[in-house]
Structure formats: structure tokens, C-alpha cells
Amino acid sequence: MSPAPTGPARPPVRRLRLGWPRRVFSQVLLMQLAVATGVTVLATGLFLAPLSAQLDDQAMRRALAIAESTASPRLAAELTATPPSAGGPVQAEAERIRISTGAEYVVVMDGRGVRWSHPDPAQIGRRVSTDPSTALAGHEVMEIDSGTLGRSARGKAPLRDAGGRIVGAVSVGIEYDSVRARLLAAIPGLLAYAGGALAVGALAAYLISRRLQRRTHDLAFSDISALLAEREAMLHGIREGVVALDRAGAVRLVNDEAQRLLGLGPEAAGRPLEELLGPGRTADVLAGRVTGEDLVAVQGHRVLIANRMPTHDGGAVVTLRDRTELERLGRELDSTRGLIDALRAQDHEHANRLHTLLGLLELEMHEEAVEFVTEVVGVHRATAEQVTEKVRDPLLAALLVGKATVAAERGVSLRIAPESLLPDRLVDPRELVTVVGNLVDNALDAVAGAPGARVEVALGTRGRTVVLTVADTGPGVPEESRELIFTEGWSTKEPPSHGKRGLGLALVRRLAERRGGSAVVASGPDGGAEFTVVLPDALSDPEPSANPVPAAAEVLGEAAR
């Protein structure tokens, strides 16, 4: 059998799926419409429920008022003076009042309950169909009841003569169909008002939902929940600091890395930025008072790179990167390059000296060769000994010896002030190495290439306080710039290949202020710049058994040799 021919593939039938919508806009709109409809129906029901009772009460009170106005002494006199008849004065008076008031009936009865008036004259002379005892006893009656004319709202009042004696009663009925008609007549208007209110509510719900749709980008609740979870995971998982600010400058969000970099806690959210960080460049960068890309800021001992992105609601998001380690490596690289250049120059110089020594030996000028070698070795040893006599800390002394070698190769005289004396009791030698290294490097850059270039370093103590002064013979610092040079990112030199400049002096001042000290610049005795740094509590208490000087001299003596 041959296979049955197959026709063109039919597209899949898309079935209409009814159910709760996923979008926030649709869900909120449906909920608001449901609420508006429910409130409208409830309000209409609550209004209609008592309306029927109010209309009944109004009809009964109206009937009672007509009965009371009808029950006059004159009518009582006519009742006692004439027999009941369709043409009598009582019937005529009652019909006149019934027609003028629009009542269904006005019935006048005597003390036995016999009618003297009725819309149907055939009923005159007969006993009333309902119990008249309450009205004949002198009490007013309001009720909804049924009689010979059907269901009506009734009011009954006693009929008294001129002497106040009860001689009968007056019963007035308002047709109940007219009461129901008033109720039904009120319903269309009420429903119209309710429909108008519902339409206004539906329009307001739609406008609110549309605004919500724009603000939520037409996402579903599940998408928003997933985005929130992803945002939390991303913010607290990335290795960059993120700080979100509102339009007033208060912290709206700060992730774990930003807390670590800025030294903040989880309670930072909701507090003003200046209250958390205090005045300074870091607060200015985060608040947007300093503009630009990859702005440098120093917070504590950390070097940070900040970028600020404004948001549409007037706030901003700031990202922070930690460049402390990179900056340290960059400075070490600069120092290493300087040392390599110095060693390269020394290599050439050493080769020249060896050639000179070889020539003296070939010429058999042995005494001159000995003097030449003694002089060369003595210069290096004298430099090391000069430093170790005044600087007893091995790490700082080694730094100064190395800087002296670099300075000599750059044509600069680096010397230690004669009055300098620093014992080997530094609490944190690396901290002072950072300060001295930055200041000496800046001084060498300032005087390099100038004739008679000179840099002088003075180190002294006052109790446990270390006072450092670095003076040079360079052009100095203008008075209007003496505070700006301590600002992060401020520099007059070209940036190095590894990053930014303008961090060294900012770190020097930050280290000094962290100890409660200071870092200032003034004019030096030779016209150049003179930096003075005061570091309180930088020295530990002296130990009588300690004798660190030989150790430092030994280390630097080996380095000189």
C-alpha cells in the first residue's frame, strides 16, 4: 500500500489560556478594578438597605401628620352631631383632606370603631377592619399594615372634642405602592452615581497601573523577585565597592566591599555621607563635588579609584576600586627602576675604576693603586657610617643609604643634618620609611638637573614623637598651593605608566593625621621647599638592655662593602 498523501503542515493551534496575569501592570490593574467595583457595590448596597426603611418611616410620619391635623375639635363636633352618611359633613371634610394631601384614604371613626368617612362610601357605617383600640385609648399609631384598600403606611390619631374627651379616631393611609415607586425611582440615579464613581475609579486605577508599568518596565512579580535576588548576589559578590546615594546625599545602599574599603558598617544605610566619612576629598568625590573619571581618593591607608554615575531620580551610584596594592607595587617599580639606573651607572663607573686600577698596576704604580682603591672604598663606607651614626633603625638607614646613591647618580647631594639622631625604637618602621621615601623622592625630582642641587634630611625626637624635616634647593611651593599639594590626585608631573600621580603627599599627611600629627610645607632656608612631618607616639619606651646601633652599623657596613 502506498502511504497516504500528506498535506502541508498545519500550524499549531494556540489555545487561549485563562488565568491570573503575570505582569505587575495587569495584576495591579485587576486588583484595583476589583477593589473599586467591590467598594462601589458595597456602598450602593449600604445606601439602599436603609433607604427602604427611611421611605417607610417618612410615609408613616406623613400619614400621622395628616391624621393629627385632621383630628380637630370641629370635626369631633360634627361627628357627635350628625349620623354617619355618604353625604354628611364628616365624609365631605375627610374627602377634601384626602384629595388635597394625596393620601390613599382618610377614615374618621367613632368610639366604637364605626366609620363615618371612607373613599368607598359603601364602607361608611361599618366597623373598621383593623384594631382601633390603641388610637381610641389616646395613643398615636404608625404602622405598615393591610386593610380593605390593600397594604399602606398608616398613621392614627385620637379625635378629641373641645373638652378633651376622646370621641373617636382618625386613620390616614399612604399607598404603599407609591413608597415602593419612590424607592425604585431612586435606584437609577443611585446606580448612575455608582457607575460614575466606578468609572472614575477604573480610570484612576488604569493611570496608576500604567505609571507602575513604566516604573517596573512591564516586569512580572517573579521577574522582580529574581532581579532583586540577583542584584543582592551581584552587589555583595563583586570585588568592587558600590555605594548608592539618594538626591539628598544619604547612603541608600552600600555593599560588603564598599564597607571594607570605606571602613563603614551595615548601619551606614540611611545616614548622610558627610556624617559617615567626614569632610575631605573622599566625601567630595562620592557626593559629586569633584567631577571626572577614575578619581583618586585616599581613605585611611587605602588608595581608591572612584567613578560616579548619576541616576534619573537625582541620586547616584559610585563604584570604588582598591588600588592600594597596585600603587605600592608601582612605587616599588619606580624605586626599582631608579636603583637599576643607579646600578647601571655604577657599573660603568666601576668598569672605569677597574680600567684605571689595571693601568696603574701595569705601569707598576703600586702605591698610587693602593691609594686609589682606599679612596673609592672610603667614600662608600663614610656615607654608610654617617647615616648609621644618626639613624639607628636598620630599615630606615638602609633606605637613606640607597637614596644617597641614587641622588649622587642624579647629581644631587643628599645629606643627613648634623643635629639628626633617631634611636632604634620605632613602633612602625615601615610607616616612617613610606613618609621619608615619598618626601625624598619628591625633593630629588624637584632639584634634579639644577646646579648645586642639594637635599637635606633632619630626623629628631621629642619624647616619643618623631619630627622629620626634608628641605631642598628647588623652586619651592607657592603659598597658594601649599594645601593643594596634599590633596589626592594633585600633581605637577606627568603620570607614570602604572597609574596616577598625586598620592604620595596625600598618604604622608594621612599617615601623620592618623597618629594625631601633622604634615606641612613652608619655604626652606635655601629658598626651596621644606616639609615638616610630626608623628606622635612613633617611638616605643626605651629598654636599658637594648643596643641596636652595632646591628644597624653592621648591616649598612656590609651593604657599603
Side-chain angles (χ1 to χ4, degrees):
M1 296 178 61
S2 60
T6 58
R10 299 177 63 184
V13 178
R14 297 185 61 183
R15 296 181 179 179
L16 182 62
R17 297 181 61 184
L18 298 178
W20 188 249
R22 296 180 63 250
R23 303 294 180 186
V24 175
F25 160 74
S26 303
Q27 291 189 25
V28 172
L29 179 60
L30 288 179
M31 287 188 291
Q32 288 181 322
L33 289 176
V35 170
T37 303
V39 170
T40 303
V41 171
L42 180 62
T44 304
L46 292 177
F47 183 80
L48 286 176
L51 180 60
S52 177
Q54 291 176 2
L55 292 177
D56 288 348
D57 183 71
Q58 291 177 2
M60 289 186 294
R61 291 184 180 278
R62 180 184 168 206
L64 180 61
I66 296 174
E68 288 178 339
S69 62
T70 302
S72 63
R74 183 175 64 82
L75 184 64
E78 292 175 349
L79 175 70
T80 56
T82 61
S85 64
V90 175
Q91 170 71 358
E93 180 68 13
E95 283 299 295
R96 182 186 67 81
I97 294 174
R98 182 184 69 82
I99 294 172
S100 62
T101 59
E104 183 182 16
Y105 63 85
V106 176
V107 175
V108 180
M109 67 190 79
D110 60 11
R112 296 170 300 168
V114 176
R115 300 186 185 96
W116 288 63
S117 68
H118 196 276
D120 182 8
Q123 300 293 331
I124 297 175
R126 297 181 180 180
R127 185 176 175 82
V128 295
S129 58
T130 58
D131 183 16
S133 59
T134 303
L136 294 175
H139 304 288
E140 296 176 345
V141 177
M142 291 191 305
E143 61 184 0
I144 302 292
D145 203 353
S146 297
T148 57
L149 296 178
R151 190 171 180 82
S152 60
R154 301 181 177 187
K156 298 179 181 180
L159 180 62
R160 304 175 185 271
D161 61 10
R165 183 172 60 89
I166 297 176
V167 297
V170 177
S171 177
V172 176
I174 303 296
E175 186 179 4
Y176 196 74
D177 288 341
S178 64
V179 178
R180 184 180 297 118
R182 290 182 59 192
L183 176 62
L184 296 177
I187 291 177
L190 180 61
L191 293 179
Y193 285 116
L198 181 59
V200 172
L203 178 60
Y206 177 76
L207 295 176
I208 294 173
S209 300
R210 287 290 297 176
R211 177 176 175 82
L212 184 62
Q213 182 185 26
R214 290 192 298 269
R215 297 298 295 270
T216 59
H217 303 285
D218 201 20
L219 294 174
F221 277 115
S222 58
D223 297 334
I224 295 176
S225 178
L227 285 175
L228 181 60
E230 292 169 1
R231 188 201 71 160
E232 290 298 313
M234 179 184 66
L235 287 178
H236 296 289
I238 61 175
R239 303 310 300 167
E240 284 194 0
V242 178
V243 180
L245 307 171
D246 60 18
R247 67 174 61 194
V251 175
R252 202 158 42 187
L253 178 144
V254 54
N255 70 342
D256 297 341
E257 183 67 7
Q259 293 177 21
R260 184 183 70 86
L261 296 178
L262 298 176
L264 304 178
E267 69 280 357
R271 297 172 61 186
L273 195 62
E274 284 74 11
E275 178 184 330
L276 295 171
L277 301 179
R281 178 177 171 84
T282 303
D284 292 340
V285 169
L286 268 64
R289 291 187 287 270
V290 179
T291 58
E293 296 181 355
D294 292 339
L295 298 173
V296 180
V298 177
Q299 181 68 13
H301 63 283
R302 299 186 183 279
V303 179
L304 306 177
I305 300 298
N307 284 282
R308 190 176 190 273
M309 178 64 67
T311 57
H312 68 278
D313 60 351
V317 175
V318 183
T319 58
L320 302 171
R321 299 195 304 272
D322 189 0
R323 291 182 62 96
T324 306
E325 189 66 19
L326 181 60
E327 190 65 29
R328 184 184 66 81
L329 293 175
R331 290 182 175 277
E332 290 182 359
L333 178 61
D334 288 343
S335 301
T336 303
R337 286 176 176 172
L339 289 174
I340 290 174
D341 292 339
L343 290 174
R344 185 180 296 111
Q346 284 187 346
D347 179 59
H348 290 291
E349 184 181 359
H350 184 62
N352 293 332
R353 289 170 180 170
L354 286 178
H355 292 156
T356 303
L357 180 60
L358 179 61
L360 292 173
L361 292 176
E362 288 180 350
L363 295 173
E364 295 184 356
M365 302 174 64
H366 300 97
E367 293 183 1
E368 287 81 357
V370 172
E371 290 178 0
F372 179 75
V373 171
T374 302
E375 180 183 354
V376 171
V377 173
V379 171
H380 291 281
R381 182 174 296 168
T383 301
E385 290 178 353
Q386 179 189 10
V387 172
T388 56
E389 285 179 1
K390 301 180 181 301
V391 181
R392 307 294 177 83
D393 182 79
L395 192 62
L396 186 58
L399 172 71
L400 290 173
V401 171
K403 294 296 183 183
T405 303
V406 174
E409 297 303 328
R410 299 179 66 178
V412 180
S413 173
L414 174 64
R415 70 188 190 94
I416 308 298
E419 68 276 8
S420 297
L421 181 61
L422 183 67
D424 185 18
R425 293 188 287 108
L426 290 176
V427 174
D428 188 356
R430 295 183 181 275
E431 184 179 85
L432 193 56
V433 165
T434 299
V435 174
V436 173
N438 277 300
L439 294 181
V440 171
D441 286 343
N442 287 341
L444 293 178
D445 291 339
V447 301
R454 185 174 68 257
V455 175
E456 183 177 82
V457 178
L459 289 160
T461 61
R462 293 199 298 262
R464 295 180 58 191
T465 300
V466 173
V467 180
L468 166 66
T469 302
V470 178
D472 61 59
T473 58
V477 179
E479 187 172 355
E480 63 273 11
S481 301
R482 290 178 182 175
E483 283 300 317
L484 291 176
I485 62 174
F486 292 102
T487 304
E488 298 94 330
W490 193 92
S491 179
T492 59
K493 296 178 284 188
E494 291 295 326
S497 58
H498 62 80
K500 306 281 185 179
R501 283 201 181 272
L503 298 177
L505 292 177
L507 285 173
V508 167
R509 171 166 280 187
R510 189 62 58 88
L511 288 172
E513 291 178 346
R514 191 172 62 183
R515 283 193 169 274
S518 61
V520 296
V521 62
S523 296
D526 297 320
E530 183 179 70
F531 288 85
T532 302
V533 180
V534 179
L535 298 172
D537 297 326
L539 295 175
S540 61
D541 294 328
E543 298 180 7
S545 60
N547 188 18
V549 178
E554 181 180 352
V555 171
L556 294 175
E558 292 294 333
R561 288 194 291 274

